[in-house]
Amino acid sequence: AGADEAAAPPRGKSEAYDQARVAVERALEKSTKRATKRRRSSGRAVGKPARLAVELPVNDDSDAALIEMATGTLGDGARDATAVFGRASAAKLAREMGSAMECVSVDDAWTAADAAARDGIIALVGVPSDRVEAAMRKCRAGEGRPTVCVNVEWEHDGDGGLAWSMSRQQAGVDDAAPSDVEAFANSFVVVYSFLPLNIQASMFASSLEGAVFKCVRGGAPAGTPWRILVKEKGAFAQVGAMQRRPQQTDLEAALYNSIAAKSPVNEAVGKASGFFRGLMNKDK
C-alpha cells in the first residue's frame, strides 16, 4: 500500500510485527537518505541518528515473548542489531537461543568499543521507566547508531519532544536546561502503535473493545494521525483521529460521542427532527 493510504489495524500478532517492521524500515531508510544527502553537500557526517519507537499489544509477558517481539519488529535488521533488554533473564535466554542480535541487559557493562563491533539498530526492549538513564548510557556508547524503542515502559508523547518542549514553555521553565535523562526519554518518535483498550461505558450500560492505532507508512511521522478505533460487529471502525497522542479525556470524548450517536434515544430524536423539518418545509 502507498504512503498516503491508511493502514488497516492488524488482525493478529504476526501482522502487528510486520506492520511495525515496515514502519521502522521506511523511517530508517528515509533518515539514511537524508543524512547521505547532507553528507554529500557538506562533505562531513551531520545530523543525529534516528530515534524511533514502536508500541505493540502484549498478551504474554514472558522472556520468550519479549525476544519474539524484538526479532519480529527488527526483521532482517536483527542481524546487525544490539538488543538491550530491560530484563537480564531475557538477554540471557536470547543468547542461549542463538539469536542473530547481540543481546545485553540494560544494566550490563557495554562500552563504546563493544558498540563499535556493529553499526545496526540499538533496540531498547521492554526497558522499565526506572532504567531510562541506563538506557541512555547504552545509546551514548553506540553514538551514531539508530535507536528503536520496543515497548519501553516510560511515558512520552512520541513526537520527538515537541509536546514536551511546549509544556516546559507553558510552565515557564524552558529557560532552565532539562536533565539529559529527561531530554533523552522524550526524544523518540512513534512510527507504530497499536494499543487495544477495554472500555466500560457505564452510563450506557455497555462495554466496548477499542484501540489507539498509528502506523507510519511513509512521509513525516507527524503527518500520520493517531486513530481512535472501536470494534463494531467484529471489525474496528474509526471514531476519532488526532495529530498528537490521545489522552484519556480524548478517548472518553470520542467514545462517548460514538455511543451517543448510535443510542436509540438519539436515533429517535434524529428521526423526529427530520419529520418536523419536513412539516416546516411543507408550510412554506
Side-chain angles (χ1 to χ4, degrees), residues 5-152:
E5 183 182 339
R11 288 163 294 188
K13 179 175 65 175
S14 61
E15 188 173 357
Y17 292 167
D18 285 344
Q19 288 181 337
R21 175 184 53 76
V22 171
V24 168
E25 286 174 354
R26 290 185 180 179
L28 290 179
E29 188 177 290
K30 183 181 178 185
S31 175
T32 302
K33 284 180 180 176
R34 190 164 55 238
T36 301
K37 191 178 292 184
R38 287 174 180 166
R39 190 180 297 113
R40 284 173 181 165
S41 62
S42 66
R44 57 188 175 85
V46 292
K48 296 179 180 178
R51 285 184 176 173
L52 311 176
V54 300
E55 300 167 345
L56 295 151
V58 177
N59 295 320
D60 180 355
D61 193 35
S62 67
D63 290 340
L66 207 59
I67 295 163
E68 182 187 20
M69 185 182 296
T71 54
T73 299
L74 298 181
D76 289 342
R79 288 196 296 264
D80 200 30
T82 298
V84 179
F85 288 95
R87 292 199 298 256
S89 56
K92 181 175 181 290
L93 178 60
R95 290 193 295 267
E96 290 171 352
M97 292 169 62
S99 173
M101 303 179 291
E102 176 186 23
C103 300
V104 298
S105 89
V106 72
D107 292 317
D108 284 342
W110 194 69
T111 65
D114 297 322
R118 298 183 178 218
D119 59 8
I121 295 166
I122 297 174
L124 304 177
V125 188
V127 176
S129 56
D130 63 351
R131 307 308 299 143
V132 177
E133 186 172 1
M136 181 186 71
R137 289 197 295 268
K138 293 289 186 294
C139 292
R140 283 184 171 175
E143 188 175 1
R145 294 172 60 177
T147 306
V148 177
C149 289
V150 181
N151 280 32
V152 295

Side-chain angles (χ1 to χ4, degrees), residues 215-252:
C215 181
V216 180
R217 313 195 85 170
T224 299
W226 297 79
R227 298 159 58 197
I228 303 171
L229 311 174
V230 169
K231 186 164 278 190
E232 298 176 349
K233 298 178 181 177
F236 280 113
Q238 182 171 313
V239 296
M242 307 186 73
Q243 293 307 122
R244 60 172 172 79
R245 186 194 289 274
Q247 303 299 313
Q248 184 64 33
T249 52
D250 301 318
L251 297 173
E252 289 173 358

